[in-house]
Amino acid sequence: MPTNDNETPLPLAAFAVLGAAVLFVVLLRWHPGGPRVGRAIDDLGQLLAAATAAAAAGWRYRRSSPLTRRPWLLRWPSTALHGAARWRGLLDGVLVAGSLFIVSWVTALGSVIRSPADSTFAYAVSLAYPISDLVLLTLAIIVASHGDQGRRSGLAMLTVGLLCLCVADSGFAYLTAIGKYATGSPVDVGWFGGFLLIAAAAYTSVAQPADAADQALIQESTTKALLPYVPAGIGLAVAVTGELAGRSQKVTLVAATLVMATLLVRQLLAVLDNRRLVRQLTAAQLELQHQAFHDPLTGLANRALFADRLRHSLQLHRRDLRPLSLLYCDAR
């Protein structure tokens, strides 16, 4: 049964997640009962947090309208990339993913690929973390920049939750690459808190009307529109810094070239879209002007057009002393 109200107040959900995270940190740091108990608390806490997020997303899915029912975590991206914003959203996705790839390559991803692994499975798992970070961070930024403002509280929760998961994944990949990760590490708090934030987003989100995508495009702010350019600037700055410092890498050069090409295409589409909007606005203005000065039934000029032309002619006569003649014909 769909609902239009918040199921759980946002402050209450935020304080609940914060309290649970603080308790989790305390138990991990002091691990009463010894290291084995600490590892058990870590594993159990992450399992419960992930299960809570899955249950909350499923609950939100069941609460949505059967006519428009989709998986809850896919509703924001699919709504944000609907209609006219589809190509812009796809280009923003490529732009953000390429930029984050540059940053990940010079930090976690490059370290994982270059470091030796004990087994193929361990190497694949370590590699999966930074790659999944790219997907999650790209998803979070695209949703934040294109999502509607009608459910900004749940959207903010979801974005922060995804970012927490990404930070934890990157920390795990880096610590594993240098051989310093162990169960109970502080990076595990990112997974615990991230899953709980996703669960809180599901409980605090509001049902959305069918035409909310079009309303979101109208309400889109300048800050949201510029959000995809932030990782682009960071990624290009990292690539340029590496070149200037003599740490040139072909991978980062290729990724930076892709980012620059995407930026050019993105701007070209923006220019073309602006020209289309100008033409539509001009056509609408001409149509309104015609409707105001012509009879809707016969299409002939009306009194409003006569008064406008007469007023304009009188102004020219007073200013430039142009001759003015008025012919009045009465058929009676």
Side-chain angles (χ1 to χ4, degrees), residues 165-176:
L165 294 180
C166 292
V167 171
D169 289 345
S170 298
F172 170 79
Y174 176 75
L175 293 177
T176 301

Side-chain angles (χ1 to χ4, degrees), residues 264-322:
L264 293 177
V265 175
R266 177 72 168 82
Q267 292 305 112
L268 175 61
L269 291 182
V271 171
L272 295 178
D273 189 55
N274 289 336
R275 292 184 60 183
R276 179 182 59 84
L277 292 176
V278 169
R279 287 195 299 265
Q280 291 180 351
L281 180 60
T282 303
Q285 290 177 340
L286 293 176
E287 180 65 22
L288 289 175
Q289 184 179 7
H290 184 273
Q291 293 177 2
F293 291 150
H294 293 79
D295 183 78
L297 181 61
T298 64
L300 299 176
N302 56 18
R303 293 182 178 180
L305 180 59
F306 170 75
D308 179 74
R309 296 294 173 82
L310 180 60
R311 187 182 308 108
H312 181 64
S313 299
L314 290 173
Q315 290 175 352
L316 292 177
H317 175 71
R318 296 190 187 98
R319 189 186 66 184
D320 302 332
L321 298 179
R322 293 187 183 183

Side-chain angles (χ1 to χ4, degrees), residues 6-7 10 49 158 196 205 208 217 225 250 277 279:
N6 286 355
E7 301 297 338
L10 178 62
L158 177 62
L196 289 185
S205 63
Q208 185 177 21
L217 293 177
K250 292 183 179 180
L277 292 176
R279 287 195 299 265

Side-chain angles (χ1 to χ4, degrees), residues 81-267:
L81 303 181
H82 177 75
R86 182 186 309 163
W87 293 110
R88 186 182 65 179
L90 291 177
L91 286 174
D92 286 347
V94 175
L95 179 65
V96 173
S99 304
L100 294 178
F101 175 82
I102 296 174
V103 178
S104 179
W105 180 264
V106 300
T107 55
L109 184 58
S111 300
V112 171
I113 292 179
R114 291 188 294 266
S115 62
D118 298 334
S119 63
T120 303
F121 177 76
Y123 181 78
V125 171
S126 300
L127 190 62
Y129 278 97
I131 293 177
S132 63
D133 289 343
L134 290 175
V135 177
L136 288 175
L137 278 174
T138 301
L139 177 63
I141 294 174
I142 294 303
V143 168
S145 60
H146 292 273
D148 66 282
Q149 298 183 5
R151 298 180 299 172
R152 67 179 63 180
S153 60
L155 177 58
M157 281 277 192
L158 177 62
T159 304
V160 175
L162 292 176
L163 291 176
C164 288
L165 294 180
C166 292
V167 171
D169 289 345
S170 298
F172 170 79
Y174 176 75
L175 293 177
T176 301
I178 63 178
K180 292 185 178 181
Y181 175 79
T183 303
S185 174
V187 299
D188 296 348
V189 181
W191 287 318
F192 180 81
F195 283 125
L196 289 185
L197 285 172
I198 293 176
Y203 283 118
T204 57
S205 63
V206 182
Q208 185 177 21
D211 59 345
D214 296 332
Q215 296 176 1
L217 293 177
I218 297 175
Q219 297 175 354
E220 188 176 76
S221 64
T222 303
T223 302
K224 290 175 60 178
L226 296 178
L227 185 58
Y229 293 92
V230 175
I234 296 175
L236 292 177
V238 170
V240 171
T241 302
E243 288 294 319
L244 295 178
R247 298 190 301 269
S248 177
Q249 300 185 46
K250 292 183 179 180
V251 176
T252 57
L253 287 178
V254 172
T257 303
L258 175 62
V259 171
M260 290 297 299
T262 306
L263 277 173
L264 293 177
V265 175
R266 177 72 168 82
Q267 292 305 112

